[in-house]
Amino acid sequence: MSAPKRYTITAALPYTNGPIHIGHLAGVYVPADIYSRYLRMTGNDVAFICGSDEHGAAIPMRAKKEGVSPQVIIDKYHTIIKQSFEDFGISFDNYSRTSSKIHHETASDFFKKLYEDGKFIEENSEQLYDPEADQFLADRFVTGTCPKCGHDEAYGDQCEKCGSSLNATDLIDPKSTISGAVPILKETKHWFLPLDRYEDFLKEWVLEGHKKDWKTNVYGQIKSWVDDGLRPRAVTRDLDWGIPVPIEGAEGKVLYVWFDAPIGYISSTKEWAAREGKDWRPYWKDKDTKLVHFIGKDNIVFHCIIFPSMLKAEGSYILPDNVPANEFLNLEGNKLSTSKNWAVWLHEYLEDFPDKQDVLRYALTANAPETKDNDFTWKDFQARNNNELVAILGNFINRVVVLTNKYYTGVVPKPAELSEVDNQTLAELKAYPAVISSSIERYRFREASQELMNVARLGNKYLADEEPWKLIKTDELRTQTIMYVALQIASALATLSEPFLPFTAQKLKNILQLTNETGNSWVGVSEKEVLLPVGHTIGKGELLFAKIEDQEIQQQLDKLAATKKANEAENRVLSPQKEMTTFEDFTKLDMRVGTIVAAEKMPKAKKLLVLTVDTGLDTRTIVSGIAEHFTPEQVTGKKVTVLINLAPRKLRGVESEGMILMTETPEGKLVFVNPDEDTVKPGSTIS
């Protein structure tokens, strides 16, 4: 286990243009929280830092859509996001916001330092301009085709499909998201950070210095970028929302969000330090401090190329020791999407599963997208809860607590001489902190969560093999020893589970009646001979986890199905107008009111109904492809519009003599085009 030291842990600043969902939690915030909680428990000095990113172009876009000011948007979602983090036990030492005064000052000072040191290039260049909206288009205000992968919904700063970082002028067939207009090029002045000057630094720092200890997905993306050749990157934008560029001649311009946002880590640390009476500088400027960024893979280029180049240009800051970026989490086979509402929102999750924060934390950790995109399914969520948390961890604790209260009125019994099995079990238990530490320190949180579950498996196997419920009748001393050993495992679980399951850990400590004085440290689980002393009294039994029933899961699946149907309806495109026809052609169509007098399913055909229709002139057979929408009983007796002079056609051996007129709702449901008036008789013509 590494020696205690100082850590600055940052988690990606979430955009305040909407609430956060399980993808955010799985990719960034739960792993960052596990790591930070673990470091604190092992005696390290930790500053776990985050805050709301409130200057992205997505903010004014959302404000325009909702017809409110950007300030209303950021206040609304900052509150929702911050509360969600608190509800799920994300233990930030400080959660700030980039609209704060201290951040504006910090970002402005950072820019001015680089400007005064001659680190920027000032250039007049042609940028995309919306002639209808009469404004320059910042990155997120323009979409088009990615020049690298061909994705046709890439943004002006990034393609979310292939992860490539872009300039808006790189897009093929760009379009303004404000007016839909095709943008033109118009000259404007901006300041650029010449990333090409930092290629040698990046090669030495990352490609040579971190080849072995950084994730392959992170290293590979950085190498691809550097090998492709870095180019100057604009650090200012033509926008009216953001931090004003703090120099003369830059009126009407703001700092580029990806220049200002990572500085938010620094300003948030300053805010925390001032509140706690600390000096912020060692957390960012002492070479013995370990700086770790937790992000998603779409932010790799900003945290591993742009921000380090900014820090290097400034000259007095430490560089990241690691950037353990995760891949993406999908939902039921489809990419999570805020705009399409294809997500599990954290604040809504707690409405349906109150007090089950740890269940979601565990399910997301056990299925974390650490090396590849993974899929969250509600069935897997249910299985993780029922088959692991309930059946393994919860079952072990429940048996230990119930038996201790039943046999010894809740008092930890005195053991007799420990057997070989007892000693072996306790030795295995003492080895687990180091095993779990190794996984956490290598950022393998999924692996670490399973090692935690193995501690509970160790306890279950021990009880199952030793069977104290049988021995209590014949060997009381042996039973005391078994329960003593089992209680040591339970006590260890109360400590080792805290980084992963903080609410459960506290619940377990309450059951075992452990206080800060009587509880155990992470190292103590390995080193202390006794974790729960003889004579200590525990509390009454209480279930740590409850089984999740099929109907609860079905409700979530139904909710997603409704979302999918709504998206399909919204995205349904009306058929374009057909070629021009003549009045004479139209008059050739003989459309009559008819009544369906009988209907039956076409044998061995999924979609077809065989209808008997009274047209007023005759009764004829019409085969219609509506069986997936209507039963024969539903259509019998219904008035319909019939095209009766359509040439007969055989369908599966049945001659069809006409066509029923139908239309489709936005949800994809077929409906009849039929007259409502009861006075309209079969055979009436439609003209």
Side-chain angles (χ1 to χ4, degrees):
M1 194 173 294
S2 59
K5 61 183 298 184
R6 185 188 304 109
Y7 287 81
T8 300
I9 313 299
T10 74
L13 307 184
Y15 276 139
T16 47
N17 68 321
I20 53 174
H21 53 59
I22 57 170
H24 302 124
L25 209 58
V28 177
Y29 304 107
V30 166
D33 188 61
I34 291 171
Y35 190 64
S36 298
R37 285 177 177 273
Y38 161 75
L39 289 175
R40 294 190 195 102
M41 293 179 71
T42 49
N44 295 286
D45 179 7
V46 176
F48 183 21
I49 300 299
C50 193
S52 294
D53 179 358
E54 300 175 326
H55 292 141
I59 307 297
M61 284 176 68
R62 185 68 179 246
K64 284 178 184 288
K65 185 177 179 180
E66 296 190 13
V68 296
S69 71
Q71 189 67 45
V72 171
I73 294 294
I74 64 173
D75 288 345
K76 173 183 176 181
Y77 290 113
H78 170 76
T79 302
I80 292 173
I81 291 170
K82 187 178 181 182
Q83 187 61 52
S84 291
F85 285 141
E86 291 175 4
D87 289 342
F88 279 86
I90 308 301
S91 59
F92 296 125
D93 289 295
N94 198 58
Y95 188 81
S96 189
R97 54 193 307 186
T98 59
S99 62
S100 67
K101 181 182 178 183
I102 193 169
H103 176 68
H104 276 240
E105 292 173 350
T106 302
S108 296
D109 289 345
F110 200 105
F111 180 91
K112 284 190 287 188
K113 172 74 162 56
L114 268 58
Y115 175 77
E116 291 165 0
D117 289 348
K119 301 296 184 180
F120 294 135
I121 298 172
E122 182 181 322
E123 282 187 1
N124 286 334
S125 62
E126 290 187 321
Q127 299 292 323
L128 296 182
Y129 185 87
D130 185 333
E132 292 186 18
D134 192 26
Q135 71 174 72
F136 283 98
L137 295 174
D139 311 306
R140 293 273 159 163
F141 285 108
V142 58
T143 59
T145 300
C146 174
K148 298 191 176 182
C149 75
H151 179 52
D152 60 4
E153 293 182 358
Y155 288 108
D157 63 343
Q158 188 173 36
C159 174
E160 294 191 347
K161 184 173 183 181
C162 70
S164 296
S165 182
L166 305 169
N167 288 311
T169 51
D170 296 334
L171 294 175
I172 301 167
D173 298 327
K175 182 176 69 174
S176 168
T177 61
I178 300 173
S179 68
V182 175
I184 61 174
L185 289 171
K186 188 174 180 179
E187 189 173 276
T188 185
K189 180 171 68 175
H190 283 294
W191 287 262
F192 292 75
L193 182 65
L195 293 176
D196 48 310
R197 295 181 186 174
Y198 299 92
E199 280 192 16
D200 290 342
F201 149 68
L202 291 168
K203 286 178 181 177
E204 180 181 354
W205 171 57
V206 182
L207 302 187
E208 295 174 19
H210 290 291
K211 186 174 184 178
K212 294 182 179 179
D213 61 326
W214 282 26
K215 284 186 174 184
T216 54
N217 62 324
V218 177
Y219 182 88
Q221 194 174 132
I222 300 168
K223 188 175 188 305
S224 175
W225 264 83
V226 174
D227 289 349
D228 194 40
L230 298 176
R231 292 171 290 280
R233 183 88 179 189
V235 296
T236 58
R237 288 290 188 269
D238 290 293
L239 275 175
D240 57 2
W241 179 252
I243 299 175
V245 177
I247 57 174
E248 289 186 14
E251 291 74 20
K253 301 181 190 297
V254 300
L255 298 182
Y256 173 39
V257 66
W258 272 111
F259 181 89
D260 124 55
I263 297 173
Y265 300 138
I266 301 170
S267 60
S268 183
T269 307
K270 286 183 177 180
E271 188 176 75
W272 164 73
R275 186 182 68 242
E276 299 296 323
K278 293 176 175 283
D279 181 1
W280 70 272
R281 293 172 185 82
Y283 294 89
W284 281 96
K285 300 196 174 190
D286 188 328
K287 62 181 177 59
D288 290 330
T289 297
K290 187 173 180 179
L291 173 63
V292 182
H293 295 311
F294 282 87
I295 58 169
K297 71 175 178 181
D298 53 335
N299 289 339
I300 290 174
V301 64
F302 302 107
H303 285 77
C304 299
I305 291 180
I306 296 176
F307 189 42
S309 297
M310 290 164 54
L311 296 174
K312 181 70 174 175
E314 200 279 342
S316 68
Y317 287 86
I318 58 174
L319 296 170
D321 182 81
N322 212 316
V323 185
N326 275 343
E327 300 294 294
F328 289 147
L329 185 74
N330 297 322
L331 171 60
E332 296 289 350
N334 293 306
K335 183 178 178 180
L336 282 156
S337 172
T338 298
S339 60
K340 295 177 181 177
N341 196 31
W342 190 256
V344 178
W345 305 106
L346 300 191
H347 64 293
E348 291 183 358
Y349 168 88
L350 285 179
E351 293 174 5
D352 297 332
F353 297 100
D355 302 322
K356 283 189 169 60
Q357 299 97 319
D358 279 352
V359 178
L360 187 58
R361 283 180 63 121
Y362 178 75
L364 294 177
T365 304
N367 189 38
E370 292 178 346
T371 56
K372 63 181 180 64
D373 290 359
N374 271 359
D375 195 36
F376 175 90
T377 69
W378 281 109
K379 288 293 185 184
D380 179 70
F381 167 82
Q382 181 186 28
R384 294 285 184 188
N385 180 79
N386 294 354
N387 302 339
E388 295 176 31
L389 293 177
V390 173
I392 299 173
L393 177 55
N395 178 59
F396 171 69
I397 295 299
N398 186 58
R399 288 203 287 183
V400 172
V401 173
V402 168
L403 292 178
T404 303
N405 276 284
K406 181 179 180 180
Y407 300 159
Y408 312 112
T409 62
V411 178
V412 178
K414 182 178 181 180
E417 185 175 350
L418 298 181
S419 69
E420 183 179 343
V421 170
D422 301 333
N423 285 318
Q424 182 180 343
T425 300
L426 290 173
E428 285 186 49
L429 177 64
K430 290 180 181 298
Y432 269 109
V435 171
I436 298 172
S437 290
S438 175
S439 297
I440 292 176
E441 290 174 8
R442 289 178 291 122
Y443 309 105
R444 296 183 179 179
F445 305 106
R446 185 171 59 199
E447 178 182 282
S449 70
Q450 296 313 295
E451 293 295 351
L452 170 69
M453 198 56 63
N454 284 339
V455 179
R457 288 189 175 97
L458 173 70
N460 275 320
K461 184 179 185 306
Y462 177 75
L463 285 181
D465 290 347
E466 300 306 305
E467 299 181 312
W469 45 86
K470 290 184 179 179
L471 286 176
I472 189 67
K473 300 173 184 177
T474 59
D475 193 338
E476 290 189 13
L477 280 179
R478 179 60 191 153
T479 303
Q480 288 179 203
T481 306
I482 295 168
M483 292 311 303
Y484 171 83
V485 171
L487 283 160
Q488 305 310 303
I489 299 173
S491 181
L493 281 166
T495 298
L496 300 179
S497 63
E498 186 174 330
F500 309 91
L501 309 167
F503 298 96
T504 304
Q506 187 57 53
K507 196 173 180 180
L508 181 50
K509 287 176 183 176
N510 291 341
I511 292 172
L512 297 179
Q513 298 200 359
L514 296 174
T515 64
N516 291 334
E517 291 73 32
T518 60
N520 299 289
S521 69
W522 191 275
V523 175
V525 175
S526 298
E527 297 180 351
K528 289 174 67 175
E529 287 299 320
V530 177
L531 302 180
L532 206 58
V534 172
H536 175 85
T537 301
I538 68 171
K540 298 297 182 182
E542 180 184 354
L543 290 180
L544 290 182
F545 306 98
K547 189 177 180 182
I548 294 175
E549 302 297 338
D550 290 346
Q551 65 185 44
E552 296 178 80
I553 297 303
Q554 191 57 50
Q555 287 174 356
Q556 300 303 318
L557 294 174
D558 291 345
K559 187 187 295 186
L560 288 176
T563 298
K564 188 173 185 179
K565 184 173 285 188
N567 285 332
E568 290 171 351
E570 186 175 334
N571 295 330
R572 194 176 298 277
V573 179
L574 292 176
S575 300
Q577 179 178 305
K578 296 180 181 179
E579 292 181 10
M580 297 296 287
T581 187
T582 65
F583 180 74
E584 288 73 20
D585 287 337
F586 178 74
T587 59
K588 292 178 183 179
L589 300 176
D590 191 348
M591 291 183 288
R592 306 267 181 148
V593 175
T595 301
I596 300 174
V597 296
E600 62 180 351
K601 287 286 296 290
M602 172 78 80
K604 298 182 180 179
K606 184 179 179 182
K607 297 182 179 181
L608 301 179
L609 286 184
V610 180
L611 309 176
T612 302
V613 182
D614 176 6
T615 68
L617 302 177
D618 56 22
T619 299
R620 61 179 66 188
T621 299
I622 297 176
V623 179
S624 183
I626 60 174
E628 290 184 308
H629 298 265
F630 302 97
T631 64
E633 294 75 19
Q634 287 175 318
V635 300
T636 300
K638 183 173 275 296
K639 284 183 181 178
V640 292
T641 299
V642 189
L643 178 61
I644 66 171
N645 65 335
L646 186 67
R649 179 185 176 192
K650 278 199 172 182
L651 295 169
R652 293 194 172 235
V654 177
E655 188 169 70
S656 181
E657 304 172 283
M659 179 180 288
I660 308 295
L661 269 63
M662 310 286 293
T663 190
E664 194 174 41
T665 68
E667 292 77 27
K669 179 183 178 183
L670 285 181
V671 293
F672 290 99
V673 178
N674 62 334
D676 293 328
E677 291 290 333
D678 292 337
T679 55
V680 178
K681 302 299 182 184
S684 300
T685 59
I686 295 174
S687 58

